[in-house]
Amino acid sequence: MRAEIDTVYRQHARRVFSTLVRLLGSFELAEEALHDAFLAAAEQWPAQGLPANPVAWLVSAGRFRAIDRLRRERRFAAWDDTLAETLADPAPGPEQLAEAQHEIPDDRLRLVFTCCHPSLSEAARIALTLREVCGLGTEAIAAAFLLPTPTLAQRIVRAKAKIAAARIPYEVPGPSELPQRLASVLRVVYLVFNEGHAALDGALADEAIRLARLLLQLMQPEPPAEARGLLALLLLSDARRAARRGADGALVPLEQQDRRRWDAALIAEGCTLAEAALRQRGFGPFALQAAIAAVHAEAGSAEATDWPQIVGLYDVLLRLEPTPVVALNRAVAVAMRDGPEAGLALLRPLLPQLAGYPAAPAAAADLCRRAGHLDEARQHYRAAVALARQSPERRHLAIQLAALGG
């Protein structure tokens, strides 16, 4: 039975937690209730057997134990009105608990929108989502983002306090708010993936993909185009994971990767999702980035890549999202289509706007190297090495700089 309980915990703990947050109105109370519910399961399931609906059983057990705990302690959290209504219902005994096997709603989407509320800082949204939706430990999140654990823990505490003080509603926004709020949620998932992708951290990338899949599942029957586009983009990017690191641990650029090591199943799924997203109304930057990734994924070699199509997609993306980063990526695509000098003409004016962004001097260095401007290439490589946050990227850049000599 211990193995069955462990399996239920892995598969359903965050779903149970999400519903307990809705019922109890507090992250802290829900966390305690979740712990108590699994203690109750460890005590009762070996004798009674696995319930027909373990999720409903755990939600009921956690809620009833929370009520008992609050009554015993005679104390209330900041949400007295909500808890007063909860406490008005008598906590049932074991017989009633055993009968509470009704189907319960999946509240994880509510929790995602709460953790990604725009009134929270972007850093807080990321930390809170990983902690409360994914269930990652504070130490693991801090290590992934190269932060001291106390700093990350305080960030999470402050975010929860703000949710409580501002009475941020625990709900999926209505139709008028949904597009703007969904954009905030998708950006959090994208940033989590980017962090893992840049650090070659498979665990963090996996969590982001799991979140993107969860969003798509919970927004059925017709998920928004951008939710499909984001999952497509993550899958197509992650398909290259096995080929992105060399034997020495350094980053391997896209054009040098062994494409036989790319994951064909992820590419097929990602391309299907990207096509579906572009056929929907309301597609946006994630769907377009997924389409660009699909063109790369379907090319048999770097030389066979359809660069005119990629430039055309970047033209559309730049109109939707006129940022220096998109302009930088378009400049690199133009360089691949028309030659490095054409790309440099577009890229050089962008560098002052992208100070502090390591991909900018790295791209400039690569194009200067291809164009034969070796002194300028060395200068940009040094800047990129100084800015790189992750060791695989830094090692790759240092190797490129050393290869130029001088």
Side-chain angles (χ1 to χ4, degrees):
M1 182 54 71
R2 176 58 186 271
E4 286 91 335
I5 294 173
D6 287 345
T7 299
V8 170
Y9 185 87
R10 285 194 306 273
Q11 294 179 349
H12 301 297
R14 300 328 287 176
R15 180 180 176 188
V16 173
F17 172 76
S18 302
T19 298
L20 288 170
V21 172
R22 171 172 61 82
L23 294 173
L24 300 172
S26 163
F27 285 101
E28 286 73 18
L29 283 175
E31 199 69 57
E32 291 175 356
L34 179 69
H35 178 72
D36 288 344
F38 274 94
L39 280 179
E43 293 166 0
Q44 298 178 38
W45 289 4
Q48 300 174 1
L50 193 70
N53 187 334
V55 171
W57 193 100
L58 289 162
V59 168
S60 300
R63 175 175 172 268
F64 300 148
R65 291 206 172 194
I67 292 171
D68 287 342
R69 181 194 294 257
L70 288 167
R71 283 189 173 131
R72 285 196 310 270
E73 296 178 0
R74 312 292 292 177
R75 64 177 174 81
F76 293 85
W79 346 59
D80 288 1
D81 294 342
T82 303
L83 287 179
E85 293 179 11
T86 300
L87 291 171
D89 298 327
E95 297 81 9
Q96 292 162 295
L97 178 61
E99 293 171 3
Q101 300 302 309
H102 57 282
E103 190 63 40
I104 62 170
D106 194 328
D107 289 293
R108 286 174 293 179
L109 193 60
R110 297 173 186 261
L111 185 60
V112 170
F113 276 97
T114 302
C115 291
C116 296
H117 196 277
S119 67
L120 302 175
S121 71
E122 194 165 80
R125 280 179 255 166
I126 292 170
L128 199 59
T129 300
L130 287 173
R131 178 69 189 89
E132 305 302 343
V133 180
C134 300
L136 294 187
T138 305
E139 294 83 0
I141 302 169
F145 288 89
L146 306 177
L147 290 171
T149 299
T151 301
L152 195 284
Q154 280 302 309
R155 186 173 291 173
I156 292 173
V157 168
R158 286 194 296 270
K160 290 178 180 177
K162 184 163 188 177
I163 289 172
R167 294 189 176 273
I168 290 173
Y170 180 73
E171 64 185 14
V172 177
S176 62
E177 286 184 79
L178 186 60
Q180 181 182 1
R181 290 285 302 281
L182 180 62
S184 173
V185 171
L186 296 179
R187 178 166 172 77
V188 166
V189 178
Y190 178 66
L191 290 172
V192 170
F193 180 83
N194 261 8
E195 193 69 28
H197 193 64
L200 301 178
D201 182 337
L204 210 54
D206 287 343
E207 284 300 334
I209 291 172
R210 193 169 72 84
L211 273 171
R213 286 193 187 281
L214 179 64
L215 282 171
L216 213 60
Q217 169 196 331
L218 295 177
M219 300 189 83
Q220 296 294 339
E222 188 57 38
E226 282 293 83
R228 276 199 174 101
L230 175 65
L231 179 56
L233 175 61
L234 303 194
L235 293 176
L236 290 165
S237 300
D238 199 56
R240 304 194 295 265
R241 184 191 298 187
R244 293 184 67 238
R245 190 194 291 268
D248 60 354
L251 194 68
V252 179
L254 174 63
E255 64 272 15
Q256 297 174 21
Q257 290 175 14
D258 181 353
R259 299 184 179 218
R260 293 170 299 181
R261 301 183 66 195
W262 290 2
D263 189 317
L266 289 184
I267 289 172
E269 183 183 2
C271 288
T272 299
L273 283 166
E275 291 171 10
L278 287 179
R279 285 197 299 268
Q280 282 183 255
R281 293 181 60 186
F283 72 80
F286 286 126
L288 285 165
Q289 290 178 73
I292 292 167
V295 176
H296 283 294
E298 291 173 335
S301 65
E303 296 73 26
T305 304
D306 189 344
W307 289 108
Q309 185 180 1
I310 289 178
V311 172
L313 287 167
Y314 270 122
D315 289 341
V316 179
L317 180 58
L318 193 59
R319 287 196 294 272
L320 280 181
E321 198 171 69
T323 67
V325 171
V326 174
L328 169 70
N329 292 332
R330 180 182 178 277
V332 173
V334 169
M336 299 304 293
R337 183 189 66 181
D338 302 333
E341 293 290 3
L344 282 169
L346 296 171
L347 190 152
R348 285 187 178 115
L350 298 171
L351 293 176
Q353 305 172 58
L354 292 166
Y357 182 59
D366 184 59
L367 295 188
C368 287
R369 176 184 61 80
R370 296 184 189 199
H373 308 309
L374 300 189
D375 286 338
E376 188 179 355
R378 292 186 190 97
Q379 175 187 344
H380 289 308
Y381 273 128
R382 292 189 190 101
V385 169
L387 290 171
R389 290 180 58 241
Q390 306 291 352
S391 58
E393 180 187 11
R394 194 158 47 243
R395 186 179 303 177
H396 165 70
L397 293 166
I399 291 170
Q400 298 301 307
L401 176 59
L404 292 181

